Amino acid sequence: MIAKMMCTVIDCPDPAALGAFYARVLGGRLDNAEPGWSDLFTPDGHMVSFQKVADYRPPRWPSQEHPQQLHLDFEVATRQDAERARGEVEALGATFLHDSGGEVRGFIVFADPVGHPFCICYGQPPQG
């Protein structure tokens, strides 16, 4: 091993606002101590950071004209849990993009308030 994962950094126009969105989705503590930068420390030990970019241009999923470059997957247990999560993330400002349609296993794709795609995944097989 050369290094260990520290965090995922997401470009955006307003780190405090996007950090607050993900803090509502994932829980945890948001630290806005640095100008142009916010860190979210989630209850399960992950760190997601948000970095201000002056001329931010959002991705346009699924187009490769403005590619997503990365996306986040969040896991819930069942399709019913994913539907509940859909209502909650849309209430926070997420935009619905796509539903894979699976009844037992699948994902629902959203864009966060500044256009980054993320998925609510359900029915995933155990890791390991």
Side-chain angles (χ1 to χ4, degrees):
M1 177 171 78
I2 294 173
K4 66 178 185 173
M5 178 70 144
M6 185 175 113
C7 66
T8 299
V9 180
I10 299 175
D11 290 351
C12 61
D14 183 344
L18 192 59
F21 170 82
Y22 281 106
R24 296 285 308 271
V25 172
L26 299 171
R29 180 180 61 82
L30 188 61
D31 180 352
N32 295 318
E34 293 182 49
W37 187 274
S38 293
D39 292 315
L40 174 61
F41 301 92
T42 69
D44 59 356
H46 290 88
M47 181 174 152
V48 182
S49 298
F50 306 91
Q51 168 178 264
K52 183 177 178 79
V53 173
D55 293 325
Y56 175 75
R57 292 185 340 152
R60 295 188 187 139
W61 184 91
S63 169
Q64 289 304 303
E65 198 171 310
H66 297 279
Q68 65 179 327
Q69 299 176 4
L70 84 119
H71 73 273
L72 301 171
D73 285 346
F74 304 120
E75 183 179 18
V76 297
T78 67
R79 171 79 186 188
Q80 183 178 5
D81 294 330
E83 289 296 334
R84 177 193 45 76
R86 176 180 178 168
E88 292 176 14
V89 299
E90 286 178 333
L92 294 173
T95 303
F96 169 79
L97 297 176
H98 174 76
D99 187 332
S100 69
E103 289 302 315
V104 176
R105 188 172 168 193
F107 57 92
I108 303 174
V109 183
F110 301 89
D112 70 19
V114 298
H116 299 107
F118 69 92
C119 299
I120 303 290
C121 303
Y122 55 93
Q124 302 304 313
Q127 299 295 317

